[in-house]
Amino acid sequence: MMPNHIEVTSSIMPEQGPGWIIDASRPVTARVQRWQAGEIGRAPHAHPRGQLLWAEEGILTVRACGTRWLAPTSHAIWIPGGTVHDVMMETDVSACFIYIDPSVSGVREKRCEVLHMTPLMRQLLLRFRNPGPETDGRQGRLSRLCAVIIDELATLPNAPLSLPAGIDPRLKRVTGRLLERPDDNANLGELARFAGAGTRTLERLFQRETGLRFSEWRSRLRLMEAINHLSHGRSSVEIAGLLGYRSASAFVAAFRRHFGVPPQSYLKAGSADDD
């Protein structure tokens, strides 16, 4: 049997599921599941435990704290306990959601946050969701794993970058295409024809439903993807090529304008801010 401080379920979560457990001896619980594109992970709800929502594969939309976010695999969303939220799958998704008991204080701010998923945190969650038979009966080992997860969660870099979603089918066709290919350099007119809308209509949809102009939305998407590439040690030259920038210098300038630091300093700066 698995130690009693970890719970993993692949079924729809009832109100006695991992988000509703109040037990200081089980500081971390988890839910893992696969969904198909368009499915609703769960209708609007809240639970006592704080939650980190991370898609190991695919892209999900989180609606909470008055905002919609698109969360690619490079990022996760922190939802404080008691916050009403819902989750929609933009693509086929394999997700791991972890829940932190209210007894664990100071793990994150009492507000919704977009967080950068470090390589260490990814590996911790993958091990937590698949502990393997060698951990059976070794409660001490999994207890230590929980402690490391909590510690890493507390220091995940905040990403001052949200990617608002929309609900209009024409807008979703465009955002879905760009999420699959962030390097797509199609202009607004080309994307409008792809969506079956006029150019002005598509621009209005972006502004009305995301609060951003089309160019701003695409820039944010590329910057989020850039952070993911940086975490894997890629250079600015490589990232510029992968994400459709004209040159490495154009990428570096865009990155510095938004984050205030050059790309290769971002992860170090984020970690230092949380020390």
Side-chain angles (χ1 to χ4, degrees), residues 177-197:
R177 169 174 164 171
L178 295 177
L179 282 160
E180 289 182 3
R181 288 292 307 274
D183 62 333
D184 188 337
N185 277 320
N187 62 35
L188 187 62
E190 292 172 311
L191 292 171
R193 289 191 292 274
F194 170 75

Side-chain angles (χ1 to χ4, degrees), residues 2-3 5-6 8 27-30 96 98 100 120-132 134-135 138-153:
M2 299 179 71
H5 63 275
I6 174 173
V8 179
V28 180
T29 54
C96 178
I98 66 167
I100 307 299
L120 174 57
M121 190 61 163
R122 291 192 188 97
Q123 292 305 313
L124 288 169
L125 297 192
L126 292 174
R127 175 53 62 92
F128 188 74
R129 61 169 289 184
N130 295 307
E134 72 278 5
T135 62
R138 299 182 184 179
Q139 184 168 348
R141 179 176 179 180
L142 284 177
S143 294
R144 291 190 296 273
L145 180 58
C146 286
V148 177
I149 287 173
I150 292 169
D151 184 65
E152 183 68 5
L153 174 57

Side-chain angles (χ1 to χ4, degrees), residues 85-223:
H85 60 283
D86 61 9
V87 185
M88 172 73 77
M89 310 305 150
E90 295 294 325
T91 66
D92 292 350
V93 168
S94 175
C96 178
F97 301 158
I98 66 167
Y99 305 86
I100 307 299
D101 190 77
S103 64
V104 180
S105 61
V107 63
R108 295 298 313 181
E109 298 289 336
K110 297 295 184 181
R111 58 183 173 85
C112 300
E113 297 180 276
V114 181
L115 304 176
H116 168 62
M117 284 293 288
T118 61
L120 174 57
M121 190 61 163
R122 291 192 188 97
Q123 292 305 313
L124 288 169
L125 297 192
L126 292 174
R127 175 53 62 92
F128 188 74
R129 61 169 289 184
N130 295 307
E134 72 278 5
T135 62
D136 280 0
R138 299 182 184 179
Q139 184 168 348
R141 179 176 179 180
L142 284 177
S143 294
R144 291 190 296 273
L145 180 58
C146 286
V148 177
I149 287 173
I150 292 169
D151 184 65
E152 183 68 5
L153 174 57
T155 59
L156 284 182
N158 180 282
L161 188 69
S162 61
L163 192 63
I167 59 174
D168 187 281
R170 295 165 295 181
L171 179 63
K172 291 183 71 174
R173 285 196 72 194
V174 172
T175 57
R177 169 174 164 171
L178 295 177
L179 282 160
E180 289 182 3
R181 288 292 307 274
D183 62 333
D184 188 337
N185 277 320
N187 62 35
L188 187 62
E190 292 172 311
L191 292 171
R193 289 191 292 274
F194 170 75
T199 302
R200 291 182 180 179
T201 297
L202 184 59
E203 183 65 82
R204 283 196 297 269
L205 286 172
F206 267 100
Q207 291 183 321
R208 185 179 71 217
E209 298 203 8
T210 74
L212 300 171
R213 296 192 300 273
F214 161 70
S215 59
E216 294 172 328
W217 192 95
R218 178 154 65 181
S219 177
R220 288 197 183 192
L221 167 63
R222 288 178 171 175
L223 289 171

